[in-house]
Amino acid sequence: MNPNDPTVLPDPTPEPADMLKATSAPATSATSATPATPATPTEPSPPHAPAGHEVLALQLARDFLDERRRERRWRIGFRLLWLVLGVAFLLTLWAEQNPAVTHGSPHTALVEVHGEIGPTTEAGAEVLVAALKNAFADQGARAVVLRFNSPGGSPVQAGIVYDEIRRLKALHKKPVYAVVEDLCASAAYYIASAADEIYVDKASMVGSIGVLIDDFGFDGLMSKLGIERRLITAGEHKGLLDPYSPLRPQERALAQAMIDEVHQQFIAAVRDGRGSRLKEDPKLFSGLVWNGQRAVELGLADGLANLDHVAREVVGAEDVIDYTPHENVAERLVKRFGAALGEGAVRAMRDSPTLR
């Protein structure tokens, strides 16, 4: 060995083989006498946990089932709701088509005359006549009371009801009374005059025994706008009261003669119904309206009283039963969602005379 060569030191890191020998060699220390502790059995490993996408799939499946259950519950609830509404609708129709259920105990039969009197209103002849027939036919009804709150309307409808009241009175031998709340004017008073007695409040508005025709003339406006009316008729007076044509003197005279005749029919009905109770006042049939107190003085009414007073003191049957058919749910919905618009347009175009 050359003394100039560097000294090579042994590697302090033991070789793996040496380490294996060392660990396998029997221990010579004091602890080698201690018996070895038996090895603890290995616990079974838990089952394999689902991966992330499997958890998501399970959650989606649960949500889907919950949603289906909720939909089924809502569907069943809606079906039950429609069933209840259908039963209620049928019961309403039945009740309104059968208002004349016979009542055994004595009572006062009530028929309401509210609003405009016309062929398509709740105060039309068809509705009122049906209610009157039911009221008169009930054996428990001691008398029939018509309660008024109406500005009037069609003389034709009023005449039909007037005649029917007189016929039913003679047939059933029952008295008829009219009770006025706020207003009983024109065609409404036409009907009321068929009653045996009329009762009012001192501030009620009563009378207006007259006839009018509502109309407008647009011919002047059309002339200013340069619009020409082209009306072709077969018949000299077919275009009578056409609002887009000038009103000729001859046509005015014809229209006046027509409403004068209707006015005389109205006066004859009032005279026939009220008889000698009417005071001969030159303004009685002029179309004026009077308060209740003045109406009693003129003989247009018989006294001051409300419905309860008449039922209790005049009829002698305090219980009051309403025989008036009212609109059902379907009819109110139809009118609310537009049917009334067409009805109003048609009514505005009618030229028939109106009692007001």
Side-chain angles (χ1 to χ4, degrees), residues 2-306:
N2 189 343
N4 295 327
D5 291 338
T7 304
V8 179
L9 298 176
D11 188 357
T13 303
E15 293 293 335
D18 297 336
M19 293 178 62
L20 181 59
K21 291 178 181 179
T23 55
S24 60
T28 58
S29 64
T31 59
S32 59
T34 304
T37 303
T40 304
T42 305
E43 295 291 336
S45 60
H48 178 65
H53 66 277
E54 294 177 348
V55 174
L56 180 61
L58 290 173
Q59 185 62 40
L60 289 175
R62 293 193 192 99
D63 293 343
F64 176 76
L65 292 176
D66 291 341
E67 184 67 24
R68 292 298 299 272
R69 292 191 190 99
R70 283 194 293 269
E71 289 179 358
R72 185 166 58 252
R73 286 194 293 266
W74 277 106
R75 188 162 55 249
I76 294 172
F78 275 116
R79 288 175 179 173
L80 291 175
L81 177 62
W82 280 112
L83 178 61
V84 171
L85 292 176
V87 172
F89 176 72
L90 292 176
L91 290 175
T92 302
L93 287 179
W94 180 87
E96 293 176 357
Q97 293 298 325
N98 300 273
V101 178
T102 301
H103 301 83
S105 60
H107 63 272
T108 298
L110 174 65
V111 176
E112 302 274 10
V113 185
H114 280 193
E116 183 181 355
I117 298 170
T120 59
T121 66
E122 291 187 40
E126 182 179 359
V127 175
L128 295 180
V129 167
L132 288 167
K133 287 180 178 179
N134 292 331
F136 273 99
D138 195 324
Q139 297 298 321
R142 295 293 178 260
V144 177
V145 175
L146 292 96
R147 182 163 59 180
F148 287 87
N149 190 5
S150 170
S154 165
V156 176
Q157 300 293 306
I160 294 172
V161 178
Y162 176 95
D163 293 339
E164 190 64 17
I165 291 174
R166 294 171 67 87
R167 185 188 73 83
L168 291 170
K169 280 198 306 181
L171 177 64
H172 295 278
K173 309 301 181 183
K174 292 182 181 180
V176 179
Y177 302 100
V179 174
V180 179
E181 289 188 333
D182 294 287
L183 181 62
C184 181
S186 202
Y189 189 79
Y190 192 153
I191 296 174
S193 62
D196 296 301
E197 293 178 357
I198 300 175
Y199 293 92
V200 298
D201 183 86
K202 59 182 178 295
S204 299
M205 303 306 292
V206 183
S208 186
I209 303 173
V211 186
L212 61 80
I213 295 178
D214 280 334
D215 203 1
F216 293 94
F218 297 100
D219 54 295
L221 177 62
M222 293 171 61
S223 177
K224 290 181 180 180
L225 295 176
I227 301 173
E228 178 187 358
R229 171 63 165 167
R230 295 174 181 174
L231 178 64
I232 302 173
T233 64
E236 182 182 358
H237 301 294
K238 184 62 178 177
L240 181 67
L241 299 180
D242 175 59
Y244 303 104
S245 301
L247 182 61
R248 295 178 295 177
Q250 184 183 12
E251 293 179 338
R252 178 183 290 275
L254 289 171
Q256 186 64 55
M258 179 176 62
I259 63 173
D260 285 343
E261 292 176 358
V262 177
H263 189 204
Q264 291 304 314
Q265 296 169 4
F266 189 2
I267 294 173
V270 173
R271 287 192 179 278
D272 194 20
R274 299 299 297 166
S276 60
R277 290 171 289 186
L278 289 174
K279 303 299 186 292
E280 291 303 325
D281 189 300
K283 296 182 179 180
L284 192 62
F285 304 117
S286 66
L288 287 176
V289 63
W290 290 272
N291 62 42
Q293 183 66 56
R294 182 64 176 146
V296 173
E297 296 173 1
L298 291 170
L300 295 172
D302 297 284
L304 304 178
N306 57 23

Side-chain angles (χ1 to χ4, degrees), residues 330-347:
E331 290 170 336
R332 285 195 294 269
L333 288 175
V334 168
K335 286 189 176 181
R336 178 173 296 180
F337 288 104
L341 297 177
E343 176 186 344
V346 173
R347 186 184 301 117

